[in-house]
Amino acid sequence: MHATCDVVVLLSGTGSNLQALIDSTQAGDNPARIRAVISNRADAYGLQRAQDAGIATAVLDHKAFEGREAFDAALVELIDSFSPSLVVLAGFMRILSGDFVRHYQGRLLNIHPSLLPKYKGLHTHQRALEAGDAEHGCSVHFVTEELDGGPLVVQAVIPVELEDTPASLAQRVHAQEHQIYPLAVRWFAEGRLSLGPLGALLDGQALAASGHLIRP
């Protein structure tokens, strides 16, 4: 048995990835435990999902702060009150300051709906279709100060179908997000995943630049 790994999840929206994490952590042998869910939006449905699962919630409205640094400082204080080993970004629609990212160096994960380093930022499904890509997918990565640029942990790769629209592609990518994010969190909780000076390590071995590839 592994020691419990306390996790804080940050989100701004519906929290479908949070739900996948909740479902996976309720499996008896998973050492990850979600201690709290924090949102910058009081109306985020993800907060309801957390409450339904008996998880503590908190709202920190970014509009109540003078600038990003002040908000991030308050957010660090709030997160650290739960003493997490891992902080998970699950649709948290804020660009985080360098100070915040450095504070959680090696224990801050994000998921992005593209095969990074392709399509950092927004509208990833539309951009993949416009580029005529044969494959698309999603990526879990450690967060560094470069937006969507930290070392990759795991990617799920799916084929792009001829009739795909941004909506249909988004739906299939979402389904993969719900598989690979709980997997990465579990690896971290079990002590198998870490961030070394040169990139992500799984079981002490350096992962490829693309991370661990999964082709469903």
Side-chain angles (χ1 to χ4, degrees):
M1 281 297 292
H2 297 273
T4 301
C5 172
D6 287 339
V7 179
V8 167
V9 178
L10 306 184
L11 55 75
S12 301
T14 58
S16 66
N17 269 308
L18 169 67
Q19 191 63 58
L21 290 167
I22 290 171
D23 294 345
S24 76
T25 55
Q26 287 174 342
D29 58 346
N30 191 336
R33 180 178 66 164
I34 302 173
R35 279 293 311 278
V37 172
I38 298 170
S39 178
N40 62 316
R41 296 177 57 105
D43 61 352
Y45 182 64
L47 294 169
Q48 186 63 52
R49 294 181 189 268
Q51 287 161 5
D52 291 347
I55 297 166
T57 61
V59 175
L60 196 65
D61 184 354
H62 59 277
K63 294 191 291 292
F65 292 86
E66 288 293 328
R68 185 183 299 166
E69 278 70 21
F71 172 75
D72 281 7
L75 184 59
V76 163
E77 201 171 313
L78 179 57
I79 292 168
D80 286 355
S81 70
F82 296 101
S83 304
S85 301
L86 176 66
V87 179
V88 170
L89 305 177
F92 188 61
M93 304 307 288
R94 298 280 304 163
I95 292 178
L96 296 162
S97 65
D99 285 349
F100 182 97
V101 171
R102 283 189 295 274
H103 183 78
Y104 295 109
Q105 181 81 25
R107 52 196 185 106
L108 184 61
L109 290 176
N110 183 45
I111 193 156
H112 185 73
S114 77
L115 296 175
L116 291 171
K118 280 187 168 183
Y119 312 129
K120 298 177 182 183
L122 301 174
H123 310 301
T124 58
H125 312 302
Q126 179 78 39
R127 289 156 69 193
L129 288 172
E130 285 172 356
D133 290 355
E135 293 183 324
H136 188 46
C138 47
S139 310
V140 177
H141 65 97
F142 280 105
V143 178
T144 60
E145 289 178 65
E146 183 190 349
L147 179 66
D148 297 331
L152 289 162
V153 173
V154 56
Q155 294 190 316
V157 184
I158 61 168
V160 177
E161 310 291 355
L162 275 175
E163 65 278 9
D164 264 325
T165 63
S168 67
L169 205 48
Q171 193 172 12
R172 300 213 318 283
V173 169
H174 260 133
Q176 295 310 316
E177 289 181 25
H178 300 162
Q179 301 299 316
I180 67 171
Y181 217 2
L183 178 65
V185 168
R186 181 172 183 143
W187 284 344
F188 188 95
E190 290 175 344
R192 297 179 58 195
L193 174 67
S194 62
L195 180 61
L198 299 178
L201 303 171
L202 185 62
D203 297 328
Q205 301 292 313
L207 282 163
S210 56
H212 180 84
L213 285 182
I214 293 177
R215 294 179 181 273

